Amino acid sequence: MAITEYIPPKPSAPPGALAPPTRKAEQESGLVKLLKKDLQTVFNECKMVAVVHNNATNSEDMLILKHRLHRHNISIKFFPHQVMRSFLAGSRYRNMEPLFIGQTALFVSKEPKVREMLQVLRGTPQMVLLGALIENTLLSQQGVVGYSRLPSLTSVQGELVSGLTMMTSQTVSMLQHHPAHLSALLQQHLKQQQTGGATEPAATEDAPKAEEAA
Amino acid sequence: MAASRGGLVLKAVKKIMIQFCPFENNVRSTRDFLTMVGSEKARSTNINCEVTTEVKHDKSEPVIDITFIDGERLVMKGAKLTTQEMLSALQARCSAKDPQAKAAAKK
């Protein structure tokens, strides 16, 4: 008799309950896109981009720092790390990525004014220079210091030119050595003739000596 | 990343020297430690304590060298340590030295 009892079918769970929660693929929000565009312009325009780790600078120190840097047209920018990382992974500056951990700030400027920046940073002990991208070359802290010590381009070019022409100038001076010596002696001979007729015998002695030396 | 047991008291510390190479991958904990130690709260507990940072580029490990007032040195190699471990080690030593100084001052 139990077999013929009506066994109602179990109600299946409503369709929403069993489906696994699907995470929608995260789309970049508009702010992130804007920041990325900003980053793109920064990297294209500015010859110098320095990454600095800041240890809890309070607002007055920040203001003083901004003021000092503004004198040299260096601006400070902050970007969230996620945006920074996704941008760097796409561009060709991938090796800068490990620098961006913790609290960082970017010092950007169009002209590579490294010496002034280093002086300002020396005044704020909380900001630690990690690395810099100067004229498309990634430099470490020692590299930046070495870059600041380089002499200007004109002086280096001048040194190069003088080094190259050193050999030729030596040759020229060697060739002109004998005639120059002879002309100096003859000038001296003339002077002695002019100063005293009494020294004529000494002058005639000088003349054969000059002819022997030539 | 709150410091354990309410803040870092650096009264017994003379000098903290942190060196690391930022292009390596193992420096996250060291840099976080630097941020914690360099924060206003920690620095206000002892203004005479200097925090110096050296940035190197020779693939060396990150090292934190702490000199206490009584001459003891604590050297931590931060490559495989977490920030919490380093902070708790420092704090344990600080609080060990500090109540001695306080008790001696009270007496």
Side-chain angles (χ1 to χ4, degrees):
Chain A
M1 289 303 290
I3 305 172
T4 54
E5 272 184 23
Y6 168 64
I7 305 172
K10 281 191 186 155
S12 60
L18 284 177
T22 48
R23 280 187 78 189
K24 286 188 197 163
E26 289 186 21
Q27 284 182 338
E28 278 184 2
S29 69
L31 180 64
V32 171
K33 280 191 197 154
L34 196 65
L35 287 171
K36 273 194 172 175
K37 265 194 215 169
D38 199 12
L39 263 177
Q40 186 74 49
T41 44
V42 159
F43 272 101
N44 284 347
E45 277 183 355
C46 302
K47 283 201 184 155
M48 175 174 90
V49 175
V51 180
V52 167
H53 171 94
N54 49 339
N55 271 346
T57 329
N58 48 359
S59 44
E60 352 168 332
D61 286 343
M62 188 62 88
L63 266 180
I64 297 175
L65 186 71
K66 272 197 177 173
H67 172 66
R68 279 196 202 142
L69 290 175
H70 200 63
R71 265 192 241 157
H72 308 299
N73 282 334
I74 306 179
S75 58
I76 307 185
K77 295 212 182 241
F78 298 94
F79 289 102
H81 285 329
Q82 281 198 350
V83 171
M84 198 74 211
R85 275 200 200 122
S86 67
F87 172 73
L88 286 179
S91 76
R92 57 193 171 123
Y93 304 112
R94 223 164 288 136
N95 289 332
M96 279 177 82
E97 210 202 297
L99 290 179
F100 291 97
I101 294 182
Q103 293 264 8
T104 47
L106 274 182
F107 287 5
V108 302
S109 89
K110 290 209 177 131
E111 295 300 315
K113 294 209 166 171
V114 181
R115 212 179 306 146
E116 291 86 5
M117 188 182 75
L118 282 177
Q119 276 172 349
V120 171
L121 279 175
R122 227 181 289 159
T124 41
Q126 293 100 315
M127 296 273 199
V128 183
L129 177 67
L130 298 171
L133 181 78
I134 300 183
E135 289 175 359
N136 274 329
T137 330
L138 192 57
L139 294 171
S140 72
Q141 193 242 357
Q142 288 98 334
V144 169
V145 168
Y147 180 90
S148 69
R149 290 205 191 122
L150 287 178
S152 74
L153 196 62
T154 45
S155 62
V156 172
Q157 282 172 343
E159 273 181 47
L160 185 67
V161 166
S162 68
L164 286 175
T165 53
M166 195 177 70
M167 301 305 288
T168 49
S169 64
Q170 264 187 349
T171 319
V172 165
S173 67
M174 273 202 303
L175 285 174
Q176 288 183 338
H177 165 68
H178 284 299
H181 191 56
L182 174 62
S183 62
L185 284 172
L186 287 175
Q187 274 185 346
Q188 202 187 19
H189 171 67
L190 266 176
K191 263 191 223 163
Q192 284 176 337
Q193 271 194 332
Q194 282 168 1
T195 45
T199 53
E200 251 189 310
T204 47
E205 279 178 29
D206 277 346
K209 275 189 196 163
E211 280 172 12
E212 279 173 27
Chain B
M1 229 197 344
S4 49
R5 282 210 300 143
L8 203 53
V9 179
L10 294 173
K11 285 224 167 65
V13 176
K14 192 166 149 201
K15 186 173 150 177
I16 302 185
M17 215 271 290
I18 305 187
Q19 72 182 51
F20 61 90
C21 166
F23 289 93
E24 295 286 314
N25 296 338
N26 49 3
V27 295
R28 175 177 274 271
S29 52
T30 313
R31 280 180 75 168
D32 291 338
F33 182 83
L34 172 65
T35 312
M36 296 297 297
V37 161
S39 70
E40 287 296 318
K41 224 167 99 176
R43 270 189 295 149
S44 62
T45 59
N46 183 356
I47 303 185
N48 295 332
C49 168
E50 328 165 346
V51 179
T52 40
T53 320
E54 268 182 41
V55 175
K56 295 198 172 167
H57 194 42
D58 47 2
K59 297 193 200 275
S60 58
E61 322 188 326
V63 171
I64 300 175
D65 186 351
I66 304 179
T67 316
F68 291 96
I69 289 183
D70 52 0
E72 191 186 317
R73 275 182 67 186
L74 170 64
V75 174
M76 295 196 274
K77 301 217 168 129
K80 309 272 184 182
L81 293 170
T82 68
T83 320
Q84 273 300 345
E85 287 173 5
M86 296 198 269
L87 271 176
S88 57
L90 176 62
Q91 200 162 26
R93 282 182 184 70
C94 276
S95 49
K97 291 179 198 279
D98 210 20
Q100 292 171 3
K102 275 190 189 161
K106 275 184 195 166
K107 285 176 190 170

